[in-house]
Amino acid sequence: MKLSICVPHYNEETEVVVNLLDSLKIQQNINFDDLEVIIVNDGGDAKQITDIATENYPFMIKTISNTHNGVSATRNEAFNHATGDYVMFCDVDDMFYNACGLWIIFNEMKGEGFDVLISTFIEESRLPDKNPTYLTHEVDYTFVHGKVYRKKYLINNNIKWNKNLTIHEDSYFNFLAINLANKERAKFCQSPFYLWKWRDASVCRHDPKYILKTYNNMLDSSTALVNELKDRSKTDLARQTVTNMIFDAYFTMNKKEWLDQENKEYRHNTELRFKQYYEEFLPDFMSIPEETKNGIIVGIRNRMYQEGLILESITFKDWIEEIEKMEVCNDCN
């Protein structure tokens, strides 16, 4: 078996899952005996995926019912049942972008193959008038989309999804998997084969306040990642991760939506969580040379400007001083 596609499933409707399977069914110039799809139900309506598995697909489909443990634990369960040399984690509401996607992946496996394959991918979004638009995401280290891993590499390095993370969980897993790989064993693919499909029921896509509501989870993910890197004696990488997160939070707080009065509660709660993060990892942040920090600032500022940041409303030094003055209410709910 060449490739195992691991899919977490909860309460998505049947047609949602069928879209993914149908996009695999039309793949060209590959042997379907080299493919298996493992769908793990995370405590939802398991009958939906059982019915789907009886359809006439040319590849093996394994359906597994599990108790509700969240998306990370569900992906780990799918991985445990994978028999392929390589694994790919697909969201149940996504699709392959074109009919040659699997051929692209299998072609990259030839020769010595890879430990990590990182590809560009396509995002389906919506314009203000609700019409669809398609965006190309260049090679990134955050999203799970368009990435394939050698199974033995993940096992040998004990790289798993963190079961305690259910929001912004991809950045934890992908950062570990990509940064622990030997650079010679990582491949970058400029041909997109994955479609991050739009779905109205997807909260992270249609809720304009999604990041406002979940930035705390991003800090949780970074906390888990930094501690994991330290446990693996990757101290320098942990310190760089801390520094990136701190400056990311600073520039994020300078974006218009975070400065709007109507979102002041989100900002306050996020800054309280950031205060905990900053105090926990301050020694790591202070150990980074100023020259390195300046390089990180330039990279993050450029990205933030592309995302709509116009000008910082407060200096980093002044913002940190405000953070340090904040009082955490231990008795608050």
Side-chain angles (χ1 to χ4, degrees):
M1 183 70 64
K2 283 187 177 181
L3 179 64
S4 300
I5 295 183
C6 300
V7 183
H9 176 269
Y10 187 48
N11 280 327
E12 293 82 8
E13 297 296 328
T14 300
E15 57 267 24
V16 173
V17 189
V18 167
N19 282 336
L20 172 61
L21 298 178
D22 284 351
S23 73
L24 291 169
K25 186 176 181 179
I26 64 169
Q27 293 298 304
Q28 300 298 301
N29 300 312
I30 58 107
N31 184 347
F32 283 111
D33 291 339
D34 293 331
L35 175 69
E36 68 177 1
V37 178
I38 304 164
I39 306 174
V40 178
N41 183 273
D42 185 29
D45 184 358
K47 186 175 184 299
Q48 293 175 344
I49 56 174
T50 302
D51 290 345
I52 291 169
T54 64
E55 299 291 336
N56 184 28
Y57 289 100
F59 45 83
M60 180 184 298
I61 301 176
K62 299 177 182 177
T63 59
I64 300 160
S65 295
N66 212 15
T67 56
H68 183 56
N69 291 309
V71 64
S72 292
T74 304
R75 287 184 178 132
N76 285 334
E77 182 68 15
F79 178 82
N80 292 338
H81 288 83
T83 62
D85 296 325
Y86 294 85
V87 295
M88 181 178 181
F89 298 95
C90 292
D91 287 341
V92 71
D93 54 356
D94 291 340
M95 300 173 61
F96 268 62
Y97 173 61
N98 57 50
C100 300
L102 285 181
W103 180 88
I104 293 171
I105 295 173
F106 289 164
N107 194 52
E108 295 287 358
M109 293 177 184
K110 291 180 179 178
E112 296 184 0
F114 54 84
D115 287 340
V116 179
L117 176 67
I118 310 162
S119 173
T120 59
F121 64 90
I122 305 299
E123 175 187 356
E124 180 183 0
S125 187
R126 288 292 181 271
L127 296 169
D129 61 5
K130 307 301 181 182
N131 282 319
T133 185
Y134 292 89
L135 312 171
T136 299
H137 282 258
E138 298 302 326
V139 171
D140 83 286
Y141 289 10
T142 303
F143 296 101
V144 69
H145 314 319
K147 296 174 179 63
V148 186
Y149 306 96
R150 186 189 295 272
K151 183 183 176 185
K152 282 188 177 180
Y153 161 69
L154 296 179
I155 293 174
N156 291 343
N157 288 276
N158 194 29
I159 300 172
K160 299 179 180 179
W161 294 85
N162 188 316
K163 64 181 181 180
N164 296 318
L165 302 175
T166 56
I167 300 175
H168 300 302
E169 75 287 346
D170 335 35
S171 55
Y172 172 93
F173 179 86
N174 287 322
F175 190 96
L176 277 182
I178 293 170
N179 284 280
L180 295 182
N182 185 316
K183 290 184 179 180
E184 296 179 355
R185 299 289 302 154
K187 286 187 175 182
F188 299 90
C189 178
Q190 295 297 330
S191 300
F193 50 77
Y194 191 95
L195 174 63
W196 182 16
K197 189 168 174 54
W198 176 274
R199 187 163 66 95
D200 289 337
S202 176
V203 176
C204 71
R205 307 295 290 284
H206 76 255
D207 186 350
K209 295 183 185 284
Y210 177 75
I211 295 298
L212 292 162
K213 295 175 180 178
T214 65
Y215 199 90
N216 283 357
N217 300 101
M218 207 176 298
L219 290 164
D220 292 341
S221 181
S222 183
T223 298
L225 176 59
V226 171
N227 288 327
E228 180 68 22
L229 290 170
K230 289 183 176 181
D231 289 343
R232 293 173 181 262
S233 300
K234 301 290 185 180
T235 306
D236 289 343
L237 195 54
R239 290 171 176 170
Q240 290 178 25
T241 301
V242 166
T243 305
N244 271 284
M245 186 75 256
I246 288 174
F247 285 126
D248 185 278
Y250 162 65
F251 284 108
T252 296
M253 292 301 106
N254 276 280
K255 286 185 172 181
K256 181 181 182 301
E257 60 267 29
W258 289 91
L259 297 172
D260 286 348
Q261 279 299 107
E262 68 176 73
N263 297 323
K264 64 180 181 180
E265 184 175 352
Y266 295 125
R267 181 188 179 100
H268 179 72
N269 292 335
T270 299
E271 288 183 330
L272 284 176
R273 175 63 184 92
F274 174 81
K275 178 182 174 71
Q276 296 174 332
Y277 183 94
Y278 182 75
E279 290 177 346
E280 180 176 357
F281 298 124
L282 181 57
D284 300 290
F285 178 70
M286 297 303 294
S287 70
I288 295 290
E290 287 302 313
E291 183 179 354
T292 303
K293 288 180 181 177
N294 290 335
I296 291 173
I297 288 172
V298 170
I300 295 178
R301 179 185 283 124
N302 289 340
R303 171 169 60 82
M304 291 291 182
Y305 285 172
Q306 293 175 3
E307 295 175 0
L309 177 66
I310 299 175
L311 185 67
E312 295 98 290
S313 63
I314 186 173
T315 66
F316 178 75
K317 180 177 179 294
D318 289 343
W319 181 64
I320 289 296
E321 288 179 356
E322 288 187 1
I323 294 294
E324 290 174 334
K325 293 175 183 176
M326 296 183 74
E327 294 184 7
V328 178
C329 178
N330 295 323
D331 296 328
C332 297
N333 294 327

